[in-house]
Structure formats: C-alpha cells, structure tokens
Amino acid sequence: LVYDCLPRLFDAAMCGGDPEISLMLSWNRFVTQERLTAEAWLGYNPRDLRKLWQSEEQKGMDENVLFAVDPSSEEYRMVEVCFRAQPTVPRAYHDMNPGMWTHLTIHKIERVENGMQEDGNAEPYYRSLARGIENQGLEFRPGLHTKWAFHGSSAVDDIVNN
C-alpha cells in the first residue's frame, strides 16, 4: 500500500499491454517532471551524449578527454537539475538531509569524452541491455530502462584515462 503499489500493480495487470513496462512507467511519478525533462534533453543512450562533445569530430580520441562544461550553457543547467533533483517521495536512504542538496555549491562540471571507453564498454553494454530486454519479448525503451546516476570517486584519473 505504500506509494500506491497495490493500485499500480492492478493497473499494470489490467493495462492490456506489457505489465512489466506499465509498472516501470509508473515509477516516473517518483521523479520530478523537471528532472525527467533534463534527462530527456541530455539523452538516454551513449550516442545521444556525443551531440555535446567538443573533441575533434566528436570522437573522444583527442589527447585531452576531459572538458569543462560552460556554466552558462544549457548542458550545465540540465546536469545541475539532474544532480539536485530530489524524489517526489521520501528518500529510501536516510544518509543525509535532502535539503542539503539545494545548498551545495557545484564548483564545476566536467564531461569525459573517452571514445575508447564508450566504444569498448558503454556502447556494447547498452546494446547488451537492449538485447536482453527484447529477448524477453519486451520493448526496450531508453529513459525507462536507462537512467542518469551520479557518483563521487577518488579514481577520477582512472575514469578519465582508462
């Protein structure tokens, strides 16, 4: 009964389509419309992200693969919206006060344009995920089966250069 789970399960069972997809679509009510809009603008697959790349021919094969995102750009704003967005329901993890996010200072946003990493890892994984879902007889939907996530890391050099 928490978060209308039972009614959402009934709706999914009676949707006339794929119940799994119906239930997953209902998860979007737990995310703000502003975040959904920002995610859609950024894109949900590796190839969409390249539209923002600054490397030569957007290939990510330059010596430098780390690019500062202009703070006055739409890209910066969309990443910031995703980063700061809070769920529409109480957080599952109580590790910090959600209100803190609005007061955190973002010093910079950098985009990693590592074509080798994308071509050798991200793109094959994306295709494998799509194939696995389609092999179950379901329609693969970017934005439903793919989501934006952020994490901190002390291994920035490895991420950028590996």
Side-chain angles (χ1 to χ4, degrees):
L1 294 177
V2 177
Y3 308 124
D4 294 325
C5 185
L6 188 58
R8 290 185 302 111
L9 285 170
F10 284 141
D11 288 346
M14 298 183 297
C15 73
D18 293 316
E20 298 93 340
I21 299 293
S22 177
L23 184 62
M24 290 175 74
L25 286 168
S26 76
W27 298 342
N28 280 340
R29 70 177 66 174
F30 303 123
V31 181
T32 64
Q33 185 58 52
E34 185 179 36
R35 176 167 177 145
L36 292 171
T37 300
E39 287 182 354
W41 188 92
L42 290 164
Y44 290 112
N45 68 61
R47 293 293 167 197
D48 284 349
L49 297 176
R50 285 200 180 200
K51 71 180 186 249
L52 303 168
W53 283 19
Q54 297 171 297
S55 55
E56 186 177 332
E57 297 182 35
Q58 297 179 314
K59 289 185 177 184
M61 299 297 184
D62 298 5
E63 186 173 327
N64 177 33
V65 296
L66 193 61
F67 293 83
V69 177
D70 181 350
S72 66
S73 70
E74 189 74 0
E75 177 186 8
Y76 191 99
R77 193 175 79 73
M78 294 299 160
V79 171
E80 182 178 22
V81 165
C82 289
F83 180 76
R84 292 188 186 279
Q86 293 297 305
T88 60
V89 297
R91 293 165 46 108
Y93 301 104
H94 303 288
D95 55 341
M96 70 178 294
N97 177 350
M100 285 180 56
W101 286 104
T102 59
H103 300 298
L104 292 176
T105 300
I106 297 175
H107 295 283
K108 64 181 173 179
I109 296 173
E110 295 176 309
R111 182 187 333 97
V112 178
E113 298 183 17
N114 187 331
M116 295 291 283
Q117 183 73 270
E118 182 180 314
D119 293 342
N121 293 309
E123 187 65 37
Y125 179 78
Y126 180 85
R127 286 193 312 268
S128 175
L129 174 67
R131 194 171 40 255
I133 289 168
E134 290 165 351
N135 286 344
Q136 297 174 55
L138 300 172
E139 176 189 359
F140 175 71
R141 296 187 187 187
L144 180 64
H145 296 106
T146 58
K147 284 290 183 192
W148 278 87
F150 297 90
H151 65 87
S153 177
S154 59
V156 173
D157 189 56
D158 287 339
I159 292 168
V160 170
N161 295 308
N162 186 358

